[in-house]
Amino acid sequence: MTSKNEEKLKFSAEISKVLQLMIHSLYTNKDIFIRELVSNASDACDKLRYESLTRTELKQEGGEYKIGITINKEKRIITIADNGIGMGRDELINNLGTIAKSGTQEFLSMLTGDSKKDMPLIGQFGVGFYSSFMVADKVTVQSTKAGQKDTWQWESKADGEFTITQLEPATRGTAITMYLKEGEDQYLDKFRLRHIVQTYSDHISFPIEITDDEGNTEKVNTGSALWMRQKSEITPEQYKEFYHHVAHAVDEPWLTIHNKAEGTLEYTNLLFVPSMKPFDLYHPDRKPRVKLYVKRVFITEENVELVPRYLRFVRGIIDSEDLPLNISRETLQNNPLLAKIKDMVVKRVLLELKRKAEADNESYNTFWKNFGPVLKEGLCEATSPRQAILEVCRFHSTHHDGDALTSMDDYISRMKEGQDTIFYLTGDRLETLRLSPQLEGFTKRGIEVLLLCDHVDDFWVNVLTDYKGKKIKSVTRADIDLEQMGDIKDEEKPEEKTPEQEASMQSLCARIREILGDSVKDVRVTSKLTGSAVCLAVEEGAMDFRLERFLIEQKQINTASAKILEINPDHIIIRSLAGKLLDQGSARDIEDATWLLFDQARILEGEQVADPAAFTRRLQGFVEKSLAA
Ligand code: ADP
């Protein structure tokens, strides 16, 4: 059949590596190539069904949609054919010669060429069409794009190159022929193929037919949209296979959300939360990927955001009964019906997450590790149901050691007498947070503090200030009065101060204010510290340290605002400084010690020391003096 116009082209480096992996496949389950090719065939039929809603001529020849698997024992080939949208010459080259999906290039460049190391990587990624090379040493793809006259053939032996040839015109669709490797004759067995299709592809909504050597044809799948069936008639296996198909994923669904909404809006959703974190979760181009169907007809997954970005890990389909079939993709995003569906779906997903968290805490924690930071992005948006999101959020906390997590509600149930605020501390690393002096007074009084160390935490805490009637506040705020909160052992209670002592602390504050000048906003006595002498704090309503630092890095603001220096009246250094206030000879020491304490507080908050040379000189002076003493 091939004519002389054969063109030779090279695979991209990434594809060559993928193909090498397929040829020397370590997959224990090669059957999945059938699932992958049938899945592509079904997508191709879906695409044409949508296109032909507005361009009926596209479908005129080529009959009703179906997928056919034909066996030829004599030639040892099987062919998987569909009468879907088809591919033109350039699409064959682009789709089956390069990988264009966002983030894939970077991902695949991590492949080393060592199949043992690469297999787990590729396992996360899914191999689609290329899986055919697990069982075949040569693969031919013949394709005719619907509405076009040309037919093109792509052929490769996975040896670094493929050929493109023009063929005699045929009717629309794609046929993929696999020349089986030695030892793969099992795929020539009709019963085996039927079993594989029923295991992996029963949910496909187009008929799948197997034709044997004698020309007998048999339809082997149920052939109706899976999501329209009763839940009780769908097995977990079938859900899983549908998830693999719709999400191009290879893991197990962690959560399956299948329900039908009836009433003012009528739609069915079949949504999945993956059990594995996809490699492109944080890629800027990653879009929420839920497919829109209208009355069983696939419409699109690209021009429409059916779930918000903070649920971009959710995969699956939504099938609406109310939208018109001929709806244009361009106007979809502004459709008010869709906006309502989106709101309802968000509520549903959050409700199911809550149920799952209540039913299986351990499994929920795994979910949280994968997707928690993404979900928390929703806390930053004014339009999202922030309280409902917060309800399913989990946090590290001083109540638990190690990696254990807590919910806001659990936190509230452990709040102390007189405590009306949920306290937190943000930082980069959990280990460092646990050692922060800012926690001292809280720990001593048995007051729990949430430890927030995801990047997104720095943002939502600035816009979300209460939950279930409790304030949410950073322990770095200057107005926290711990005296009235929690329970503290008698022997740990600070001594009652005499009026003279109180007055001398106030004088010390004034003196420090004078020394530090514009470098601080204020100097105050605090009950927050025990082991440390000083810490920095910010006023209620002012920007928190970390957000401010981030905005400076991003050049959104120029300089940091002055902070409040809090001093611990029970600390030996502070007490000695207060004692020396009236001693003229100690003026220089008080000044140096003040700057040292201030710089130390800045270092602890991760801030730069303003004048490193002066800092070193002062520190050296004190060290010398203490060694000489
Ligand atoms: P994926 O299906 O994950 O996108 P594949 O490597 O399996 O990746 O396929 C690459 C692309 O080739 C598909 O996205 C699709 O555009 C095209 N393609 C594959 N099989 C067919 C087919 N049977 N009909 C039409 N297009 C197809």
Side-chain angles (χ1 to χ4, degrees):
M1 265 242 275
T2 46
S3 54
K4 287 182 208 86
N5 56 16
E6 186 178 279
E7 241 182 291
K8 267 201 173 79
L9 290 131
K10 286 211 175 344
F11 285 114
S12 69
E14 287 76 28
I15 301 244
S16 291
K17 283 193 210 160
V18 172
L19 286 171
Q20 282 308 307
L21 269 175
M22 289 302 107
I23 295 168
H24 309 288
S25 174
L26 298 175
Y27 266 117
T28 42
N29 182 7
K30 294 183 182 174
D31 297 353
I32 59 138
F33 80 94
I34 298 204
R35 168 186 85 196
E36 299 293 316
L37 297 188
V38 166
S39 183
N40 282 347
S42 161
D43 287 347
C45 292
D46 261 342
K47 283 180 198 160
L48 179 58
R49 187 158 64 173
Y50 175 77
E51 291 296 333
S52 61
L53 288 174
T54 42
R55 296 175 59 200
T56 41
E57 74 279 7
L58 289 182
K59 213 196 134 225
Q60 267 154 15
E61 285 170 41
E64 285 310 310
Y65 301 110
K66 67 176 179 204
I67 299 162
I69 305 180
T70 310
I71 304 168
N72 185 332
K73 282 192 172 150
E74 202 189 311
K75 293 190 182 151
R76 299 188 60 258
I77 59 180
I78 64 167
T79 302
I80 299 185
D82 65 72
N83 51 5
I85 189 101
M87 286 176 276
R89 176 183 171 279
D90 293 349
E91 283 167 307
L92 278 172
I93 295 174
N94 291 331
N95 293 341
L96 308 182
T98 56
I99 295 188
K101 270 182 280 179
S102 60
T104 328
Q105 196 96 13
E106 292 97 311
F107 180 78
L108 288 178
S109 63
M110 283 156 45
L111 296 180
T112 58
D114 175 348
S115 44
K116 276 215 180 59
K117 284 192 196 136
D118 291 345
M119 216 51 204
L121 270 182
I122 205 83
Q124 285 178 42
F125 170 71
V127 283
F129 165 76
Y130 304 104
S131 61
S132 52
F133 286 99
M134 290 194 293
V135 298
D137 38 31
K138 184 170 95 178
V139 176
T140 304
V141 182
Q142 297 184 350
S143 197
T144 312
K145 179 109 185 177
Q148 291 180 8
K149 293 261 170 310
D150 308 340
T151 298
W152 293 89
Q153 172 173 287
W154 175 107
E155 184 172 275
S156 179
K157 291 182 178 159
D159 49 0
E161 55 185 31
F162 59 96
T163 59
I164 293 285
T165 318
Q166 185 159 21
L167 305 182
E168 294 299 317
T171 46
R172 71 165 203 255
T174 304
I176 300 180
T177 302
M178 280 146 285
Y179 296 79
L180 295 176
K181 290 184 192 174
E182 279 309 322
E184 300 296 355
D185 288 7
Q186 48 171 325
Y187 298 110
L188 296 169
D189 175 8
K190 171 166 81 170
F191 301 103
R192 177 97 174 83
L193 285 180
R194 182 168 68 194
H195 174 72
I196 298 173
V197 171
Q198 284 169 348
T199 307
Y200 296 111
S201 307
D202 189 58
H203 59 79
I204 296 286
S205 44
F206 303 100
I208 306 173
E209 296 175 348
I210 299 184
T211 304
D212 65 14
D213 275 317
E214 275 109 55
N216 303 314
T217 298
E218 180 195 9
K219 175 175 165 235
V220 291
N221 65 329
T222 311
S224 67
L226 182 85
W227 60 89
M228 297 309 286
R229 298 183 210 163
Q230 292 296 324
K231 275 189 195 184
S232 56
E233 287 164 19
I234 307 174
T235 64
E237 281 304 309
Q238 286 174 322
Y239 274 128
K240 182 173 97 179
E241 289 313 328
F242 182 74
Y243 163 66
H244 287 169
H245 163 65
V246 75
H248 294 251
V250 288
D251 56 338
E252 302 264 328
W254 175 78
L255 181 64
T256 302
I257 307 174
H258 184 193
N259 56 280
K260 194 170 160 72
E262 277 162 336
T264 41
L265 275 183
E266 212 177 304
Y267 66 85
T268 303
N269 62 255
L270 176 49
L271 301 172
F272 303 92
V273 176
S275 55
M276 257 166 38
K277 188 153 117 182
F279 68 93
D280 61 347
L281 190 58
Y282 293 99
H283 195 281
D285 292 348
R286 184 184 166 98
K287 307 225 164 54
R289 291 258 280 280
V290 170
K291 295 187 181 191
L292 175 67
Y293 282 73
V294 172
K295 300 183 190 74
R296 260 66 63 215
V297 176
F298 170 71
I299 305 291
T300 184
E301 68 173 325
E302 276 176 1
N303 310 47
V304 61
E305 224 184 68
L306 291 173
V307 294
R309 270 193 70 75
Y310 64 87
L311 291 181
R312 62 183 176 275
F313 50 85
V314 172
R315 314 307 292 269
I317 66 100
I318 292 172
D319 187 352
S320 157
E321 299 293 329
D322 309 306
L323 289 168
L325 258 175
N326 59 357
I327 188 161
S328 97
R329 286 176 180 164
E330 285 65 37
T331 60
L332 265 179
Q333 192 58 54
N334 304 320
N335 187 294
L337 276 181
L338 269 190
K340 283 195 191 129
I341 293 181
K342 187 171 165 182
D343 283 349
M344 286 170 71
V345 166
V346 166
K347 278 204 191 95
R348 187 80 208 184
V349 172
L350 292 176
L351 175 71
E352 296 293 335
L353 286 177
K354 189 174 160 198
R355 286 186 179 151
K356 183 88 175 175
E358 282 161 4
D360 187 348
N361 186 41
E362 202 174 315
S363 159
Y364 193 78
N365 286 348
T366 318
F367 156 78
W368 187 255
K369 279 203 190 92
N370 286 335
F371 302 116
V374 175
L375 194 60
K376 281 192 285 189
E377 290 174 18
L379 296 174
C380 307
E381 292 165 27
T383 50
S384 53
R386 298 195 283 193
Q387 298 290 321
I389 299 177
L390 209 46
E391 207 170 359
V392 296
C393 285
R394 293 293 179 270
F395 306 97
H396 293 291
S397 135
T398 51
H399 182 75
H400 296 292
D401 294 334
D403 259 356
L405 298 167
T406 185
S407 67
M408 282 278 178
D409 291 305
D410 284 345
Y411 179 103
I412 291 175
S413 73
R414 291 188 290 261
M415 279 168 75
K416 297 288 180 200
E417 274 289 300
Q419 184 185 351
D420 63 351
T421 304
I422 297 166
F423 292 108
Y424 68 84
L425 178 64
T426 56
D428 289 328
R429 291 178 57 232
L430 185 61
E431 296 75 23
T432 331
L433 282 180
R434 288 194 188 281
L435 300 174
S436 169
Q438 304 269 10
L439 296 176
E440 289 173 0
F442 294 86
T443 312
K444 193 160 131 185
R445 288 172 174 79
I447 297 172
E448 182 173 354
V449 177
L450 300 176
L451 304 171
L452 312 181
C453 41
D454 284 321
H455 193 51
V456 57
D457 293 324
D458 289 326
F459 298 92
W460 71 263
V461 293
N462 284 285
V463 289
L464 192 56
T465 50
D466 60 273
Y467 175 69
K468 296 197 175 163
K470 313 283 178 214
K471 284 200 218 65
I472 304 175
K473 190 182 276 191
S474 169
V475 297
T476 58
R477 295 290 159 178
D479 62 341
I480 299 171
D481 182 5
L482 284 177
E483 303 283 342
Q484 310 306 323
M485 278 180 240
D487 25 56
I488 187 164
K489 288 188 210 111
D490 276 342
E491 62 272 22
E492 288 189 5
K493 275 204 179 122
E495 287 166 32
E496 286 285 320
K497 308 278 178 313
T498 61
E500 292 77 45
Q501 283 172 321
E502 299 257 2
S504 121
M505 272 308 144
Q506 288 313 318
S507 313
L508 180 63
C509 284
R511 180 79 189 99
I512 296 179
R513 233 175 270 139
E514 205 181 338
I515 296 170
L516 297 179
D518 288 345
S519 302
V520 286
K521 188 155 194 283
D522 198 2
V523 181
R524 295 177 195 169
V525 172
T526 184
S527 54
K528 253 175 15 194
L529 299 172
T530 57
S532 305
V534 291
C535 71
L536 290 182
V538 278
E539 204 98 58
E540 170 93 65
M543 207 186 290
D544 208 23
F545 301 116
R546 291 172 52 83
L547 181 65
E548 189 182 73
R549 207 150 54 224
F550 175 79
L551 293 178
I552 291 173
E553 275 164 23
Q554 300 292 311
K555 304 208 169 13
Q556 308 253 3
I557 51 177
N558 288 332
T559 45
S561 60
K563 304 291 175 314
I564 295 164
L565 183 70
E566 294 190 320
I567 64 170
N568 174 3
D570 299 305
H571 196 278
I572 174 87
I573 298 182
I574 299 297
R575 288 223 305 260
S576 324
L577 285 178
K580 287 180 191 265
L581 267 185
L582 296 176
D583 172 13
Q584 290 297 326
S586 300
R588 181 68 196 266
D589 276 355
I590 292 179
E591 193 170 315
D592 280 348
T594 297
W595 279 108
L596 273 178
L597 287 171
F598 176 60
D599 280 340
Q600 175 199 316
R602 289 171 63 90
I603 292 171
L604 277 170
E605 282 317 320
E607 308 265 318
Q608 298 270 340
V609 168
D611 182 349
F615 171 75
T616 319
R617 180 176 45 72
R618 292 184 186 116
L619 186 61
Q620 209 168 305
F622 275 106
V623 174
E624 270 170 26
K625 240 188 249 175
S626 85
L627 289 177

